[in-house]
């Protein structure tokens, strides 16, 4: 049966990797070999050396290409390895237009590394198409977007950006980590390269660091493959297997977490201690209607703003269920503090300009019962309220572990 007959949910399980051709195994075999015997002196087999190609990694690469609707998928040792390798498509003198509230590691790569190799950049508010259009230069080669963005969940009009990119001979790169192809398929909307931190929702269990890139066009895919093989930041086979296993439950995890995130967002949006809640599923969110037109749902990540750092510290030390950590997209809820975590690499002035203030917290909603999460938040807000922020000595987080 052709794969096209299946829905995304079914395709996660019934695909090319469903049954091993030689053994019938229903889980992809982990091929540890670094090198492959060539039985013919003149013509080499499909695999020769595992940096260049490995059947376990290839199973994952084929899977993500299929899920994103691309011509080619490539697996890297981390999300940053995937993103950095994609940037190697640029040459000295090229210019990249990049979303201003981009992931902190991508910000560091652009401003501290690529700049040394003569790649120019401009940060823009990608939600403002007029501003984007006005910043495109003759040497602009790439428009780089992240939607919803991190950590303010701003929604970029993907079709609008693609139109501008095509009109100006630029490629569009999109970091799809927050929604995954379960909720957003950028290649279908004209994006050229989709990038992922597979560390997050795709693997989903906080137990692997991995990155993926998917390319719409086979020729561009070949260029990126050459860069992957040249730079060498490939994903190891054990980790490729872990991502493949995580993918099997992607649909059910993201459905459940998104439903809970919506409940949490509504709760937070109506809480007097919360100054602002950022979630694209709230009707009052600026990007609500664009989000509805380009995704299957708003996802499982939200952010909210408390008064200041002191309120945040007291809240974090009082809340019991979420882990307080960097990262997102896991079975357990993860609360993080962008100012000191994901965006610590960003200078204070830049950070504040982007609205990443000292009162901002990001929550990635996991698979706990949402009623338990809300009750936990409620007791934490009560504690924050009862004690004067100036003399509150919250219990150190470590004592609760
Ligand atoms: C985590 C993350 C990255 C970086 O991925 P790593 O796997 O940590 O290298 C890039 N983009 C976004 C949106 C992320 O959340």
């Amino acid at each position: 049966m052709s794969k096209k007959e299946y829905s995304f949910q079914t395709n996660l399980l019934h695909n090319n990797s469903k049954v091993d051709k030689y053994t019938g195994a229903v889980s992809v075999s982990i091929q540890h070999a670094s090198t492959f015997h060539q039985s013919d002196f003149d013509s080499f087999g499909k695999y020769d050396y595992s940096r260049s190609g490995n059947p376990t990694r290839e199973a994952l690469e084929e899977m993500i290409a299929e899920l994103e609707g691309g011509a080619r998928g490539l697996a890297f040792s981390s999300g940053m390895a995937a993103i950095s390798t994609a940037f190697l498509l640029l040459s000295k003198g090229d210019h990249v237009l990049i979303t201003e509230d981009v992931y902190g590691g991508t910000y560091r790569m652009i401003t501290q590394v690529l700049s040394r190799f003569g790649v120019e950049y401009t940060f823009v508010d990608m939600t403002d198409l007029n501003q984007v259009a006005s910043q495109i230069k003759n040497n602009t080669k790439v428009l780089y977007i992240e939607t919803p963005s991190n950590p303010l969940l701003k929604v970029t009009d993907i079709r609008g950006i693609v139109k501008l990119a095509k009109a100006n001979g630029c490629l569009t790169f999109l970091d799809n980590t927050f929604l995954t192809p379960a909720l957003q398929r950028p290649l279908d909307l004209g994006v050229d390269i989709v990038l992922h931190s597979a560390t997050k929702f795709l693997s989903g269990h906080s137990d692997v660091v991995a990155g993926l890139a998917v390319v719409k066009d086979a020729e561009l895919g070949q260029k990126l493959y050459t860069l992957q093989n040249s730079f060498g930041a490939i994903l190891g086979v054990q980790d490729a297997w872990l991502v493949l296993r995580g993918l099997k439950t992607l649909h059910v995890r993201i459905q459940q977490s998104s439903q809970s995130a919506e409940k949490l967002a509504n709760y937070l949006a109506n809480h007097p201690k919360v100054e602002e809640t950022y979630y694209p599923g709230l009707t009052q969110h600026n990007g609500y209607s664009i989000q509805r037109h380009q995704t299957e749902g708003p996802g499982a990540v939200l952010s909210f703003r408390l008064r200041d750092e002191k309120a945040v510290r007291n809240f974090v030390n009082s809340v019991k269920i979420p882990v307080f950590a960097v990262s997102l997209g896991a079975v357990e809820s993860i609360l993080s503090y962008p100012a000191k975590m994901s965006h610590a690499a960003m200078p204070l002035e830049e950070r504040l300009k982007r609205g990443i203030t000292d009162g901002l917290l990001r929550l990635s909603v996991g698979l706990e019962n949402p009623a338990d999460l809300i009750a936990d938040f409620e007791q934490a807000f009560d504690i924050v309220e009862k004690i004067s922020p100036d003399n509150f000595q919250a219990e150190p987080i470590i004592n609760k572990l």
Side-chain angles (χ1 to χ4, degrees):
M1 222 190 285
S2 141
K3 294 168 268 177
K4 293 270 177 282
E5 290 173 47
Y6 297 141
S7 66
F8 184 87
Q9 183 175 3
T10 305
N11 212 13
L12 286 171
L13 304 160
H14 301 277
N15 49 57
N16 284 343
S17 304
K18 180 180 176 181
V19 179
D20 183 85
K21 280 197 282 289
Y22 302 105
T23 62
V26 294
S27 169
V28 169
S29 306
I30 301 181
Q31 180 50 263
H32 274 281
S34 59
T35 190
F36 298 81
H37 174 65
Q38 306 303 324
S39 53
D40 186 301
F41 184 82
D42 292 311
S43 53
F44 285 9
K46 182 173 180 191
Y47 305 105
D48 57 13
Y49 185 63
S50 274
R51 171 163 37 74
S52 313
N54 171 285
T56 310
R57 191 173 83 234
E58 190 177 76
L60 172 61
E61 293 178 331
E62 281 177 1
M63 178 86 170
I64 192 65
E66 192 174 314
L67 297 177
E68 288 282 9
R72 183 145 197 183
L74 297 162
F76 296 86
S77 54
S78 69
M80 280 319 303
I83 292 166
S84 302
T85 305
F87 276 136
L88 294 181
L89 287 162
L90 294 164
S91 300
K92 186 176 171 189
D94 288 347
H95 173 253
V96 47
L97 209 52
I98 187 158
T99 184
E100 64 183 1
D101 50 353
V102 73
Y103 176 73
T106 309
Y107 176 86
R108 180 172 48 209
M109 182 66 197
I110 291 267
T111 58
Q112 293 181 27
V113 183
L114 292 177
S115 58
R116 289 199 291 109
F117 294 88
V119 173
E120 299 166 18
Y121 59 87
T122 308
F123 288 99
V124 278
D125 177 358
M126 285 281 174
T127 64
D128 182 346
L129 291 178
N130 290 329
Q131 204 195 320
V132 175
S134 75
Q135 297 288 339
I136 295 177
K137 305 195 215 177
N138 287 336
N139 59 340
T140 304
K141 294 286 163 62
V142 168
L143 304 194
Y144 187 101
I145 51 184
E146 217 182 287
T147 180
S149 71
N150 183 20
L152 290 176
L153 288 307
K154 285 195 199 167
V155 178
T156 294
D157 177 355
I158 301 174
R159 291 183 185 89
I161 294 292
V162 163
K163 210 165 149 187
L164 282 173
K166 289 202 190 308
N168 291 279
C170 306
L171 295 175
T172 310
F173 293 4
L174 189 148
D175 183 332
N176 204 22
T177 300
F178 272 40
L179 292 186
T180 82
L183 298 175
Q184 178 166 274
R185 300 227 316 172
L187 300 182
D188 293 349
L189 305 176
V191 165
D192 298 288
I193 301 185
V194 163
L195 298 157
H196 278 287
S197 171
T199 313
K200 318 294 168 54
F201 289 102
L202 295 179
S203 59
H205 292 70
S206 303
D207 54 12
V208 60
V209 173
L212 296 167
V214 190
V215 184
K216 176 87 181 162
D217 165 75
E219 201 180 316
L220 186 60
Q222 187 58 32
K223 281 189 189 154
L224 195 59
Y225 166 73
T226 302
L227 290 168
Q228 181 198 40
N229 195 29
S230 303
F231 195 63
I234 49 147
L235 186 63
V237 292
Q238 302 268 9
D239 291 344
W241 187 88
L242 279 169
V243 178
L244 278 165
R245 181 160 81 167
L247 277 172
K248 294 184 185 193
T249 55
L250 173 65
H251 186 267
V252 35
R253 284 186 285 107
I254 214 146
Q255 285 295 110
Q256 179 63 42
S257 288
S258 301
Q259 277 171 23
S260 300
E262 201 172 334
K263 290 190 178 130
L264 260 296
N266 278 307
Y267 162 76
L268 292 166
N270 291 306
H271 199 286
K273 289 265 136 184
V274 178
E275 295 189 343
E276 210 157 348
T277 304
Y278 304 88
Y279 181 62
L282 293 173
T283 48
Q284 64 267 34
H285 188 279
N286 277 342
Y288 177 75
S289 91
I290 296 171
Q291 179 270 129
R292 299 252 304 177
H293 285 101
Q294 66 186 21
T295 74
E296 300 284 320
V301 181
L302 56 93
S303 292
F304 56 102
R305 192 189 302 286
L306 303 185
R307 194 184 51 246
D308 51 21
E309 183 180 326
K310 215 169 271 173
V312 163
R313 178 174 296 140
N314 291 344
F315 179 79
V316 168
N317 285 341
S318 306
V319 82
K320 294 195 175 81
I321 293 178
V323 294
F324 182 56
V326 169
S327 202
L328 58 106
V331 287
E332 60 279 345
S333 290
I334 300 179
L335 188 63
S336 55
Y337 187 44
K340 288 201 196 309
M341 292 177 171
S342 58
H343 289 69
M346 198 175 271
L348 176 70
E349 194 186 322
E350 292 298 317
R351 182 161 68 68
L352 294 180
K353 215 159 66 186
R354 288 162 171 77
I356 307 164
T357 62
D358 293 341
L360 191 74
L361 279 167
R362 188 186 72 199
L363 178 71
S364 166
V365 181
L367 299 180
E368 301 91 350
N369 186 323
D372 290 338
L373 281 169
I374 289 174
D376 185 29
F377 275 37
E378 193 64 22
Q379 66 80 26
F381 281 129
D382 280 351
I383 292 175
V384 172
E385 203 157 345
K386 276 196 205 101
I387 32 191
S388 130
D390 291 323
N391 55 25
F392 179 49
Q393 286 292 321
E395 186 189 2
I397 301 156
I398 196 77
N399 290 354
K400 293 190 294 185
L401 299 178

